[in-house]
């Protein structure tokens, strides 16, 4: 398994889904708070598919923030208060949806298999 580290930039391309994104039948969670404080997160993609991490803005915009390569552990810098979703690139199936909070993320790893 490869390991990479990613840091966010100021260039977040819009993401235009081909289909309506859903998460286990529920609407995606968007954050209603200002972002602050960088948090380092860890994402293990043990699938053969590329995953895309999206930033879900409070105003309804969806931005692509990271690509999580297959068979790779990614250490990614995110901002506390970001609403994020991780989707499978080909199917646009949402695998995880959350608002980033620093405290619960200590020693936390999100695994996709």
């Amino acid at each position: 398994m490869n390991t990479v580290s990613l840091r966010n930039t100021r260039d977040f391309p819009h993401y235009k889904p081909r289909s309506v994104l859903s998460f286990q039948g529920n609407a995606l969670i968007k954050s209603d708070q200002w972002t602050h404080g960088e948090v380092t997160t860890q994402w293990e993609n043990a699938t053969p598919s590329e995953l895309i991490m999206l930033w879900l803005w409070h105003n309804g915009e969806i931005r692509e923030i990271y690509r999580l390569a297959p068979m790779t552990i990614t250490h990614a810098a995110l901002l506390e208060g970001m609403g994020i979703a991780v989707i499978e690139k080909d199917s646009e199936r949402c695998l995880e949806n959350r608002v980033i909070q620093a405290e619960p993320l200590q020693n936390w790893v999100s695994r996709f298999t």
Side-chain angles (χ1 to χ4, degrees):
M1 182 96 47
N2 296 325
T3 302
V4 297
S5 293
L6 302 174
R7 288 191 58 93
N8 56 53
T9 66
R10 293 200 171 277
D11 181 32
F12 304 114
H14 279 65
Y15 185 83
K16 295 180 176 53
R18 292 185 309 268
S19 59
V20 177
L21 296 171
S22 64
F23 181 57
Q24 297 174 353
N26 298 315
L28 294 175
I29 300 168
K30 299 176 183 79
S31 178
D32 61 356
Q33 54 189 291
W34 290 96
T35 57
H36 57 281
E38 191 173 272
V39 178
T40 300
T41 59
Q42 185 169 305
W43 308 84
E44 181 180 333
N45 181 6
T47 74
S49 302
E50 182 176 49
L51 305 179
I52 301 174
M53 184 179 293
L54 303 176
W55 182 355
L56 309 173
W57 288 22
H58 68 282
N59 66 2
E61 288 186 25
I62 301 174
R63 303 288 180 107
E64 179 181 319
I65 186 166
Y66 295 126
R67 297 258 171 153
L68 307 175
M71 305 308 295
T72 301
I73 296 172
T74 303
H75 299 276
L78 298 172
L79 299 176
E80 188 170 5
M82 289 176 85
I84 62 103
V86 176
I87 66 166
E88 187 175 51
K89 180 183 174 188
D90 296 331
S91 68
E92 288 193 338
R93 184 173 55 105
C94 185
L95 304 176
E96 184 153 348
N97 186 211
R98 66 172 47 232
V99 174
I100 298 300
Q101 299 296 330
E103 279 303 309
L105 291 178
Q106 292 176 349
N107 301 318
W108 169 81
V109 178
S110 195
R111 290 184 173 89
F112 306 106
T113 56

